[in-house]
Amino acid sequence: MITRTLPAAAYEKLTTSVARDTGDRRSAALWIHAAGLVRHAQEHGLLPDTGPAPGADGVRKSLEILASCHPALAALTDPRVLPVWSQPLGETVWEAISTFWEQHPALEDEHRIDGYALGDTYQLLSDDARKGRALCQTPPWIARLLLRLSLEPAMEEWGPAGTRMIDPACGTGHIVMAAFHMARVPPVRGRGSAPAAHGHRALERALAAVTGVDLDPYAAALTAYRLLASCATILRTPLERLPSSWPVNVAAADSLLARDEPLLAAGAYHACVANPPYITPKDPVVRDRVRAAYPQVASGKYSLALPFTALMLERLAAPGGFVAQLTSNSFMKREFGRRYVEEFLPRFDARWIIDTSGAYIPGHGTPTCILVHRARPPVGDTVTVIRGNAGEPRIPEDPARGLVWSAIEDAVHSRLAWDRFQEGLVQFLGEAETN
């Protein structure tokens, strides 16, 4: 869920105030957030005990230390990613930022540091990310269901050690983080999850299994930080003691158009999971380039979610790979979705269509659905559909336990249990006949 300890207006007010000093809202949001990232690292013992002095100069020094801990964090000292290196900050404005983080602590559960608060706060602070690139974080409870329907069966089919997943629109890494923990503690069929894995080998394997790519270079850097911060916290060690050779598969790139990014290699992933942007590109040049690259789905005033489906099913997924996405349901109701529904999707093996439009998802004002396919021609004649009859009667205090979302989860779990029962029965009868 969106993590808030302050009213929503506080984020807007602070960004506006700092922007008067920095000259623009983008640099203001990044200054504020960089200060929060540093505070997060300090409060969780991820920096050396003798950290730099507080203040804007201290933030820069801490970022330098973080960047030196692992090659994946090098972007934190790149002025193209973080304007803190080229944009000074007044002392009065720094005091406002410091007060903000004292009232809105970056600290999370002391035993498990996933950085969800950092990810959600970046969305709330940055107009550029939220409005310009449609950054909208996927709540952890939705990420878990998406992975239950994609990464989990992929690990059953290819084995935990041989399975790789990607989120090609990862934002600040909510889905990637959930996948990292699933890869670290793989589910054991019929017995819940395996025992918790805390050793170096399990962490390195989990890091190798997950990949995130995003257009926003700071969001990508934050995803890398969150992965490494989780590893350091599990091992109870500062970031500088993590092996620099550990793979952190996160990149800043335009997943739809980049063809020279190694992490976007064709057929490399057994599970592709995303909550892609639902917007239509505002830049006509970009809009036309995407349309030219994905003519089979990008027609009319298309939603970017459709090219992302094509990217995952036709390019990124290995043969038979699982593709799961939370996406806008606008393609079901508008003309731009006709070719997508009638010509593109029927080429692939549809597994699940789940109506989530009635569920309360913080930060998501657009009606949504969950689509799960396999990257292969259709197999069989059954698609599991969960239809919505009514929305939430009121905003639930805990969205993860809302009436609609709870009903969706119950329906998914019941269907999965029934499928496993049938598989077990067929296997039992086959063995009995053989004997």
Side-chain angles (χ1 to χ4, degrees), residues 40-42 44-48 66 69 113 225 229 232-233 237-240:
H40 183 275
Q42 290 174 333
H44 291 296
L46 303 180
L47 288 170
L66 287 172
C69 291
I113 311 306
Y225 167 79
T233 303
T237 186
L239 277 170
E240 64 181 353

Side-chain angles (χ1 to χ4, degrees), residues 393-415:
R394 64 188 64 84
I395 295 178
E397 182 176 345
D398 180 358
R401 298 183 179 181
L403 295 177
V404 174
W405 186 256
S406 295
I408 289 171
E409 284 193 324
D410 288 345
V412 169
H413 296 157
S414 295
R415 178 66 198 208

